[in-house]
């Protein structure tokens, strides 16, 4: 049960990092090797949020890998796909076809079987 809870938190952090990365890239504008462009990126707070989420997810992942068998821990990373689907719907207003929901259901069943 502890592995599931830690994996959910770690997957939410990973997904949050991805959402913030997409938002940062949307705010980035056209790429250019200029000081103005680089200065604009340093004031894009979405980058900071992205880095913090990735950093926290990495620390949690190190704890998970150290504490639990790798054969149980690694498949649990796939929970981030589940949260990614919900993030796509909520933050980016994407329409998710039924086949993708079926895939997410299979991932969830697989995670349940791994920790059993």
């Amino acid at each position: 049960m502890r592995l599931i809870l830690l994996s959910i938190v770690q997957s939410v952090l990973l997904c949050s990092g991805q959402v913030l990365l997409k938002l940062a890239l949307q705010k980035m504008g056209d790429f250019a090797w200029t000081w103005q462009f680089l200065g604009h990126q340093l004031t894009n707070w979405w980058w900071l949020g992205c880095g913090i989420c990735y950093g926290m997810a990495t620390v949690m992942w190190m704890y998970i890998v150290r504490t639990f068998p790798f054969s149980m821990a690694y498949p649990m990373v796939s929970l981030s796909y589940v949260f990614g689907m919900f993030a796509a719907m909520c933050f980016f207003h994407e329409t998710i076809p039924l086949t993708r929901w079926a895939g997410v259901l299979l991932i969830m069943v697989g995670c349940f079987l791994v920790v059993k």
Side-chain angles (χ1 to χ4, degrees), residues 27-115:
K27 301 281 185 189
M28 188 170 90
D30 292 333
F31 185 82
W33 287 105
T34 64
W35 290 111
Q36 181 183 8
F37 174 79
L38 294 174
H40 179 56
Q41 297 317 302
L42 291 174
T43 60
N44 184 342
W45 293 101
W46 299 110
W47 290 120
L48 177 64
C50 174
I52 289 170
C53 285
Y54 282 146
M56 290 171 51
T58 299
V59 170
M60 285 200 74
W61 177 242
M62 291 187 310
Y63 176 78
I64 291 169
V65 169
R66 181 176 178 185
T67 308
F68 298 97
F70 193 72
S71 62
M72 287 178 67
Y74 197 73
M76 299 306 287
V77 175
S78 62
L79 287 174
S80 61
Y81 298 133
V82 177
F83 295 115
M85 294 284 281
F86 287 109
M89 266 183 18
C90 295
F91 297 109
F92 304 112
H93 309 292
E94 294 181 15
T95 302
I96 312 296
L98 188 60
T99 53
R100 285 191 208 142
W101 285 116
V104 166
L105 178 64
L106 290 172
I107 289 170
M108 290 170 50
V109 169
C111 288
F112 176 76
L113 292 174
V114 165
V115 296

